[in-house]
């Protein structure tokens, strides 16, 4: 299991709470096809350029949602930490803060925030890769068309 797949499993319950079901079926196939792209395969370069662009859009949309969830989780963590701190020691702030760090609610809030942040970062990395791969396929297609490699004309 890749790190991305691991994070997708970890974030699944949080996405489900939002009513979002992630679907990455076909992603590994497109990566395999991209890795096998030959420099003169005009038709495949054209098809991959379109599909990579669509995947980039999907990952970007998911990343935007996850970023909002991450920011909300950060706000929740701060609120939970403050409450736990006051409950632990209302008179000594530093002692309350130390004790709050051991509170299960605070730990759970931090873990949620951390998973969302890590998944967001991975999604952003995937978007950057997909954009570069799209550009590579587009340039491959255009170069071959200029060279007159039209035997696989795209409709």
């Amino acid at each position: 299991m890749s790190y991305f797949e691991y994070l997708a499993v970890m974030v699944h319950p949080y996405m489900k709470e939002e009513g979002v079901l992630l679907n990455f079926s076909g992603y590994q196939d497109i990566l395999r096809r991209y890795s096998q792209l030959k420099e003169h395969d005009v038709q495949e370069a054209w098809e991959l350029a379109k599909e990579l662009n669509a995947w980039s859009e999907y990952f970007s949309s998911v990343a935007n949602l996850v970023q909002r969830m991450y920011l909300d989780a950060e706000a929740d963590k701060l609120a939970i930490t403050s409450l736990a701190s006051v409950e632990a020691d209302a008179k000594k702030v530093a002692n309350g803060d130390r004790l709050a760090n051991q509170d299960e609610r605070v730990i759970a809030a931090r873990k949620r925030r951390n998973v969302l942040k890590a998944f967001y970062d991975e999604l952003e990395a995937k978007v950057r890769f997909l954009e570069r791969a799209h550009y590579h396929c587009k340039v491959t297609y255009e170069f071959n068309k200029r060279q007159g490699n039209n035997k696989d004309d795209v409709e």
Side-chain angles (χ1 to χ4, degrees):
M1 179 181 291
S2 71
Y3 181 59
F4 176 74
E5 291 167 326
Y6 170 75
L7 289 174
V9 168
M10 296 293 295
V11 82
H12 176 75
Y14 308 135
M15 301 302 287
K16 194 173 178 182
E17 288 173 12
E18 295 281 327
V20 176
L21 297 177
L22 300 175
N23 184 352
F24 299 112
S25 61
Y27 180 67
Q28 290 302 321
D29 181 55
I30 193 121
L31 293 180
R32 179 193 52 74
R33 287 176 49 213
Y34 176 66
S35 72
Q36 295 173 353
L37 178 65
K38 304 292 185 240
E39 71 180 73
H40 294 294
D41 194 345
V42 177
Q43 184 67 33
E44 183 68 357
W46 177 253
E47 292 300 320
L48 279 170
K50 293 188 302 183
E51 291 178 42
L52 289 162
N53 197 45
W55 275 107
S56 177
E57 172 64 22
Y58 178 69
F59 275 84
S60 186
S61 293
V62 173
N64 289 332
L65 172 63
V66 171
Q67 182 182 38
R68 196 252 327 138
M69 292 170 63
Y70 161 68
L71 294 171
D72 288 351
E74 180 64 24
D76 292 344
K77 180 200 65 98
L78 292 172
I80 292 167
T81 302
S82 294
L83 180 62
S85 176
V86 169
E87 289 172 356
D89 192 337
K91 296 183 186 216
K92 296 180 184 170
V93 174
N95 189 44
D97 287 346
R98 278 191 301 278
L99 293 172
N101 285 327
Q102 299 171 17
D103 188 288
E104 290 300 318
R105 297 169 298 174
V106 173
I107 293 167
R110 281 193 175 125
K111 286 182 178 181
R112 178 186 186 110
R113 186 235 16 221
N114 292 347
V115 167
L116 289 166
K117 174 69 168 120
F119 193 57
Y120 171 74
D121 290 344
E122 268 301 290
L123 289 166
E124 286 292 299
K126 297 281 185 209
V127 168
R128 287 189 303 274
F129 167 77
L130 289 163
E131 288 171 345
R132 288 189 310 266
H134 163 79
Y135 178 75
H136 173 239
C137 290
K138 181 177 172 258
V139 167
T140 299
Y141 171 78
E142 290 169 350
F143 174 79
N144 278 289
K145 288 306 233 182
R146 278 194 307 275
Q147 296 299 328
N149 296 336
N150 297 334
K151 65 181 185 237
D152 294 326
D153 275 342
V154 178
E155 298 173 13

